[in-house]
Amino acid sequence: MSILPFPVRGAVALAALAVLGGCASFSPDGGFGEVAQLTQARTGQAPRWQRTPADEAAAQTRVTELLQQPLSAEAAVELALLHNRGLQARFAELGMAEAERVQAGRLANPTLRYGRMSGGGVTEIDGAVLFNLLGLLTLPLASELGQQHFEQAKLQAASDAVAVATQARRAFFTAVAAQALVTYAQQVKSAAEASRELATRMQQAGNFNKLAQMRQQAFDADATAQLLRAQHRAVVEREQLVRALGLSGDELGKLQLPERLPDLPDLPGQPAALAQAEQAAMDRRLDVLQARRSAEATARQFGLTQRTGFVNLLDPNLALARHSQTGEATRRGFELELTLPLFDFGAGGSPAAVQAEAQYRQALHHAAEVAVNARSEVRESSSAYLTAHALARHYRDEVLPLQQRIADENQLRYNGMLLSVFELLADAREQITSVTGYTEALRDFWLADADLQQALAGPLPQPGQ
């Protein structure tokens, strides 16, 4: 016996279910447009998601352009957002989250049940198409939850991009400072080496005692050790920058760093702006936004569990069925399958409801913790920022000018034969040491600036903003 089609009403029902189940679709850009906007508002640069060979080629062209000149902090950030492979891998999670969102907005595939029995000249055929009734009833809310999870994924992708940008900015400043410190260490080494050679010759000529000669030799040995440490530190910091930027192969030889750090900026109005920095962080920080969204999503999930807790236990399935038998008219109708809750009657005492309530409270406490920690991080970063600026300004305005005046005075005394060449060389070493201290203080300021921007999720707000 041939299988007859379902009646018109059944076909209409199937069509309606298909429409309901197929309404969710993928967005044109996979949600990345919002990720790029969130990142650019917090770093000044927009990332690119390389999903096609054309995207990769365009990104590589821009990378080549950036490497044709000495890098700046902003160029380092742009390069990292373009070329960091780990970031591109994390962007792929955005595509997975959107696929889950689309799936949440569609009904589960129906199940086809078919049976055929024959014997004694009689053939019986049973057929049914089963649909998950609970999935149909909760489809709007499940779709909304899927959308919220997708929004969280976009916030996470932007947060990952901001973290990579901060890492690149910090690595840039430390690499430039380490390279400059090698230059200063080489100058100290040259001065110490000159003192040692002169002391050795004078000691051989009988014009210098052995103890004084060994002291100059010790200075030279210490300068050699400091130079070796500085050279290794420069390699370490440069490689950390390379990893942050995702460089490899021929790109390594093209990486150029400026000779020195950017100058120390003035801070007009910025100490006053720090007073409103906490609220700015609450409005802009992605981890705070994520915690809020997570609490909202968990609250909705908790509501879904409460509303459908009993129905979940019943686990209903709706089936459109037909039955035919040789010599008899075909019978059509529907079946509803239920699992009886003999051992778990749902309501507030069900494991699912208790678990959902615990997750909801956990999300609330986590959101509060993130907010408290964010405010604390802003206060700590603000203090570090102002302190580092004050220290660098002290070196620039007090220590270095004083060392220069001392050097000028010693040069006059040396010209008048009131100062030995060894004292003059020792003074030169002290002056280079002060320049080294200023470089380290300037580096610490720019690192504190990067940390403050990360804590605020953007630049420091100006007064009145």
Side-chain angles (χ1 to χ4, degrees):
M1 176 179 289
S2 61
I3 301 178
L4 298 176
F6 285 111
V8 174
R9 285 181 300 175
V12 171
L14 288 175
L17 291 173
V19 169
L20 287 173
C23 59
S25 60
F26 290 92
S27 56
D29 64 351
F32 192 72
E34 185 176 345
V35 173
Q37 292 176 358
L38 289 169
T39 305
Q40 187 167 22
R42 289 154 179 81
T43 66
Q45 302 286 345
R48 299 182 191 176
W49 189 7
Q50 301 164 29
R51 294 189 287 178
T52 66
D55 293 338
E56 294 178 357
Q60 188 59 50
T61 298
R62 181 56 181 161
V63 168
T64 302
E65 293 175 357
L66 292 171
L67 292 175
Q68 289 177 351
Q69 53 191 350
L71 214 59
S72 65
E74 296 306 315
V77 170
E78 182 181 359
L79 192 55
L81 293 177
L82 281 173
H83 208 46
N84 187 291
R85 296 298 181 182
L87 181 61
Q88 292 296 321
R90 290 193 286 275
F91 284 161
E93 297 178 3
L94 186 64
M96 293 183 247
E98 186 179 33
E100 293 175 357
R101 175 189 67 82
V102 173
Q103 185 61 47
R106 296 179 178 179
L107 285 175
N109 291 329
T111 301
L112 176 63
R113 189 178 69 195
Y114 175 77
R116 183 178 186 279
M117 298 184 64
S118 61
V122 177
T123 300
E124 292 185 7
I125 297 178
D126 288 314
V129 180
L130 283 76
F131 297 90
N132 189 305
L133 182 58
L134 178 61
L136 175 62
L137 296 175
T138 61
L139 181 63
L141 187 54
S143 180
E144 184 180 352
L145 288 173
Q147 180 64 36
Q148 287 189 340
H149 292 156
F150 182 47
E151 295 298 325
Q152 289 178 268
K154 288 190 283 188
L155 288 176
Q156 183 60 53
S159 180
D160 292 338
V162 171
V164 167
T166 301
Q167 180 188 13
R169 193 183 298 274
R170 288 179 57 86
F172 169 79
F173 290 129
T174 54
V176 173
Q179 177 181 267
L181 291 175
V182 169
T183 301
Y184 302 143
Q186 288 172 336
Q187 294 175 359
V188 172
K189 167 62 178 171
S190 297
E193 190 174 44
S195 296
R196 178 184 60 79
E197 291 179 358
L198 181 59
T200 299
R201 292 178 182 179
M202 293 181 66
Q203 194 274 331
Q204 291 173 350
N207 297 327
F208 213 58
N209 63 64
K210 186 67 174 177
L211 178 59
Q213 184 270 334
M214 287 189 294
R215 283 174 178 167
Q216 297 302 320
Q217 186 176 358
F219 289 150
D220 182 44
D222 182 66
T224 300
Q226 296 297 331
L227 176 59
L228 290 174
R229 292 191 184 98
Q231 289 173 333
H232 174 63
R233 175 52 54 186
V235 172
V236 171
E237 302 298 350
R238 185 182 179 89
E239 290 302 323
Q240 289 185 354
L241 177 61
V242 164
R243 291 195 293 272
L245 303 182
L247 302 180
S248 62
D250 296 338
E251 297 169 342
L252 299 177
K254 299 177 182 178
L255 176 60
Q256 306 173 62
L257 296 178
E259 294 182 357
R260 61 189 189 86
L261 291 167
D263 294 332
L264 184 69
D266 295 328
L267 301 181
Q270 289 195 348
L274 289 173
Q276 53 183 320
E278 285 188 44
Q279 186 55 49
M282 292 298 99
D283 297 335
R284 299 189 306 196
R285 279 185 60 137
L286 293 174
D287 57 344
V288 174
L289 295 178
Q290 282 180 282
R292 289 175 182 169
R293 295 277 180 87
S294 178
E296 292 171 0
T298 306
R300 291 189 176 276
Q301 183 66 52
F302 178 39
L304 174 64
T305 302
Q306 283 189 317
R307 275 181 270 171
T308 63
F310 187 71
V311 181
N312 274 329
L313 292 172
L314 300 181
D315 192 17
N317 284 309
L318 177 65
L320 300 178
R322 68 183 298 279
H323 176 80
S324 63
Q325 183 174 338
T326 304
E328 295 184 5
T330 300
R331 291 174 294 171
R332 301 175 179 85
F334 69 91
E335 298 176 0
L336 184 63
E337 294 184 353
L338 301 175
T339 302
L340 297 179
L342 296 180
F343 304 105
D344 187 347
F345 290 93
S350 72
V354 172
Q355 181 183 29
E357 183 176 3
Q359 290 175 341
Y360 172 59
R361 296 187 182 280
Q362 181 187 50
L364 289 180
H365 288 302
H366 175 67
E369 179 189 31
V370 169
V372 169
N373 291 345
R375 290 181 180 274
S376 176
E377 288 171 9
V378 170
R379 293 192 296 269
E380 179 181 354
S381 298
S382 299
S383 176
Y385 176 81
L386 294 175
T387 301
H389 186 274
L391 181 59
R393 187 178 66 247
H394 174 69
Y395 266 97
R396 183 193 65 185
D397 299 343
E398 299 292 337
V399 177
L400 293 185
L402 179 60
Q403 284 292 339
Q404 184 60 51
R405 291 195 296 270
I406 292 174
D408 293 341
E409 184 66 24
N410 283 336
Q411 184 66 49
L412 292 175
R413 293 170 63 83
Y414 174 74
N415 293 339
M417 297 181 150
L418 300 176
L419 197 70
S420 71
V421 66
F422 296 104
E423 292 174 307
L424 189 64
L425 289 172
D427 176 67
R429 292 197 300 269
E430 288 295 328
Q431 190 174 9
I432 296 171
T433 300
S434 297
V435 174
T436 298
Y438 173 62
T439 300
E440 292 174 340
L442 189 58
R443 174 203 62 197
D444 293 343
F445 166 76
W446 286 115
L447 293 179
D449 178 73
D451 291 340
L452 180 59
Q453 289 193 44
Q454 183 180 37
L456 292 174
L460 187 65
Q462 297 303 315
Q465 289 186 351

